[in-house]
Amino acid sequence: MEVKVVRKSDFDTIYRQNVGYVYATAVKYTKNHHTAEEVVQNVFMKYFMNMENTNSDAARAWLILTAKYMAMNVKRDYQKEYLVEGMNIKEEMDLSESVESPEEVFARKFKEREYMKLKENIFEALYKKNSRWYDVITITYILGKPQKEVAENMGITLDVLHSTLYRAKKWIRKNYAEEYARLSGV
């Protein structure tokens, strides 16, 4: 028995001969015209990508079975999505108001990015100004180490650590308070 291998040039013929069957199968399992159209598109795309490895005599069976299983998977996945039942109108309105709009998400992410840039600028400038200030601020506030432990590890007294922290924070406020206020909208 000779197996007829399908070439890419035969795709149009196979599509025209089988699109109705594939669509009918998809509609049967999804019960939705639009979803069925997506399934048909995906089935034929998958077939096109693999058609050189298939037997042309088995094309219809392959297409119909693939459509059936894709449609069942789509339906199964859709059923996993659920709506909140038992909500009254006020609860539903409160829930919808609590969800960020795309504009709010963009604004929030933009502001977060701006804060991150400011933070990077502050630490870069702090390191250039005084690397010891940089170390003290980073270890104490970023790494969250206890001040007593930081002082011991740096070989300084707790009073020296406090004055170093005070000077570093004062320098940061002096040089970056205006930019921080602009970002905060203060």
Side-chain angles (χ1 to χ4, degrees), residues 127-177:
Y127 185 79
K128 287 177 183 175
K129 173 70 176 165
N130 187 326
S131 62
R132 189 173 180 104
W133 288 358
Y134 174 85
D135 291 341
V136 168
I137 292 286
T138 303
I139 295 169
T140 306
Y141 296 120
I142 305 300
L143 298 179
K145 298 288 183 185
Q147 291 182 5
K148 185 176 181 180
E149 183 181 325
V150 174
E152 287 173 4
N153 287 339
M154 293 185 81
I156 58 176
T157 66
L158 194 55
D159 289 336
V160 171
L161 177 75
H162 288 160
S163 68
T164 306
L165 283 170
Y166 173 79
R167 279 185 255 131
K169 290 189 294 185
K170 183 178 176 185
W171 181 85
I172 292 171
R173 276 192 296 273
K174 177 184 172 197
N175 292 286
Y176 293 95

Side-chain angles (χ1 to χ4, degrees), residues 95-152:
L95 180 62
S96 66
E97 288 174 4
S98 68
V99 177
E100 285 182 305
S101 72
E103 294 83 12
E104 291 169 331
V105 171
F106 176 78
R108 180 177 47 79
K109 290 199 180 274
F110 181 77
K111 187 170 262 191
E112 287 172 1
R113 192 173 300 123
E114 291 296 311
Y115 276 119
M116 188 59 88
K117 285 180 190 175
L118 176 61
K119 181 176 150 185
E120 289 171 3
N121 291 342
I122 290 171
F123 278 95
E124 184 178 330
L126 186 63
Y127 185 79
K128 287 177 183 175
K129 173 70 176 165
N130 187 326
S131 62
R132 189 173 180 104
W133 288 358
Y134 174 85
D135 291 341
V136 168
I137 292 286
T138 303
I139 295 169
T140 306
Y141 296 120
I142 305 300
L143 298 179
K145 298 288 183 185
Q147 291 182 5
K148 185 176 181 180
E149 183 181 325
V150 174
E152 287 173 4

Side-chain angles (χ1 to χ4, degrees), residues 41-118:
Q41 180 180 356
N42 290 334
V43 166
F44 278 103
M45 179 65 76
K46 187 173 186 175
Y47 183 72
F48 182 78
M49 301 303 283
N50 297 299
M51 66 189 289
E52 291 177 342
N53 303 320
T54 62
N55 179 353
S56 64
D57 295 333
R60 179 171 290 162
W62 186 94
L63 291 166
I64 290 172
L65 280 174
T66 303
K68 174 185 175 182
Y69 292 119
M70 272 191 191
M72 290 170 61
N73 287 342
V74 167
K75 189 174 181 182
R76 178 202 63 214
D77 293 344
Y78 179 75
Q79 287 174 343
K80 288 181 180 178
E81 297 176 13
Y82 57 91
L83 299 174
V84 179
E85 294 182 23
M87 289 184 103
N88 63 34
I89 300 291
K90 183 180 179 344
E91 290 171 328
E92 193 173 321
M93 293 295 286
D94 290 344
L95 180 62
S96 66
E97 288 174 4
S98 68
V99 177
E100 285 182 305
S101 72
E103 294 83 12
E104 291 169 331
V105 171
F106 176 78
R108 180 177 47 79
K109 290 199 180 274
F110 181 77
K111 187 170 262 191
E112 287 172 1
R113 192 173 300 123
E114 291 296 311
Y115 276 119
M116 188 59 88
K117 285 180 190 175
L118 176 61

